[in-house]
DNA sequence: CGCTAGATGAGACTGAATCGCAACTAGACG
DNA sequence: CGTCTAGTTGCGATTCAGTCTCATCTAGCG
């Protein structure tokens, strides 16, 4: 059961060392259901045989962000969180405001809107962030059953 | 020249006190070209006859955010900034990545995209944030002339 | 003018994130 | 296998945005 963690193999492909610390961070991340904070990763690593230093957690997360394996999200609360995601494809995240689960979505027709904005403002838009928040199907069901009780 | 600062009159309408500190913050904000940080406001207030305490700057900004006169933006750099904006209308901001200037844009057809996302993910989306970054017309012109030189 | 709820200032405090540097190690090479 | 070295890490000190507490102050209303 040498299940190769996708995060680890991507690290390898990028010519980065596969250190103990990075393995621990990678594992901590892949076991997160939705978004997570640096602190979550730190806490998860402490539950393992070898704890990772705080600074290293941040360094690893930065690295993973550079590689596009993880993305930063700013929650409406103002907290900084991360989401694991597919590299190499521009996309956005829909985050459940109850449980934190997140799924990726593509552009789905945003392009024409961007063009409209460019022509109406005169800006040359070169990047954008779309963050969507709401209830995931599960939490929606839970909320509905609670309401009917 | 009793030019009533729009921020101040909105504060009055909301039944909030028009204190010296709030005037100073309001002035500091209206003289900002684009986005600004809490620290910017603090610095600006220090240049005036009466400096405003750090805590008060944050309290005032929070208040203005509640009133919808100012909005928080998370810059790609990760910094937290604010943008002055029109209250009472859902809109988004296009921010110049060179000079920080920002303009507001409406939905411009985002609604159908949200619906598409809802049906494809099963999420019930109740809020979203769209932040656009690029070069404003002026900075674009500057960049172009520099390039041709 | 005097009262009081609401607002402020000052500075201690918190906790996330960064830094500097000596010690460590992954992986290449022979 | 050993050796070597650039890339990593741990640790502790540090920074820095943002929050909190509480005594003092004041805007706005009689
Ligand atoms: Zn959920
Ligand atoms: Zn997009
Ligand atoms: Zn500009
Ligand atoms: Zn919108």
């Amino acid at each position: 059961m040498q299940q190769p963690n996708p995060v680890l193999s991507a690290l390898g492909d990028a010519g980065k060392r596969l250190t103990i610390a990075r393995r621990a961070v990678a594992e901590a991340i892949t076991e997160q259901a939705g978004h997570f904070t640096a602190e979550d990763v730190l806490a998860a690593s402490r539950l393992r045989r070898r704890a990772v230093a705080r600074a290293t957690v941040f360094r690893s997360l930065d690295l993973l962000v550079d590689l596009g394996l993880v993305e930063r999200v700013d929650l409406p609360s103002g907290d900084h969180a991360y989401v694991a995601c597919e590299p190499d494809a521009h996309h956005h995240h829909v985050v459940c405001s109850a449980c934190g689960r997140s799924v990726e979505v593509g552009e789905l027709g945003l392009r024409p809107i961007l063009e409209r904005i460019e022509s109406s403002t005169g800006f040359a838009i070169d990047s954008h962030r779309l963050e969507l928040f709401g209830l995931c199907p599960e939490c929606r069901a839970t909320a509905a059953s609670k309401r009917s009780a």
Side-chain angles (χ1 to χ4, degrees), chain A:
Chain A
M1 62 161 285
Q2 185 50 304
Q3 189 71 274
N5 184 313
V7 177
L8 288 181
S9 39
L11 271 177
D13 293 352
K16 301 293 174 180
R17 285 197 193 166
L18 295 185
T19 64
I20 311 261
R22 286 181 184 160
R23 281 172 211 279
V25 171
E27 282 167 27
I29 287 175
T30 44
E31 79 193 13
Q32 298 286 336
H35 57 156
F36 54 87
T37 64
E39 225 56 36
D40 290 338
V41 176
L42 187 55
S45 92
R46 284 206 244 264
L47 298 180
R48 308 181 157 277
R49 69 183 76 163
R50 179 89 123 88
V52 178
R54 173 185 299 277
T56 303
V57 168
F58 282 97
R59 286 187 282 233
S60 306
L61 285 173
D62 285 351
L63 177 59
L64 296 181
V65 168
D66 284 349
L67 297 181
L69 294 163
V70 144
E71 217 163 87
R72 257 185 102 129
V73 213
D74 293 292
L75 304 182
S77 70
D79 291 344
H80 292 165
Y82 297 84
V83 205
C85 62
E86 293 307 317
D88 307 325
H90 173 81
H91 61 261
H92 302 285
H93 295 269
V94 189
V95 178
C96 176
S97 35
C99 69
R101 221 184 311 255
S102 103
V103 297
E104 301 181 4
V105 294
E107 287 297 75
L108 292 169
L110 198 58
R111 217 60 55 88
I113 295 184
L114 296 182
E115 277 158 25
R116 224 167 304 154
I117 292 176
E118 289 196 310
S119 65
S120 72
T121 62
F123 272 65
I125 295 172
D126 51 44
S127 79
H128 64 266
R129 261 159 58 185
L130 176 60
E131 289 169 2
L132 303 139
F133 304 96
L135 288 183
C136 71
E138 287 78 7
C139 291
R140 205 140 61 112
T142 310
S145 68
K146 208 167 280 168
R147 216 176 303 123
S148 71

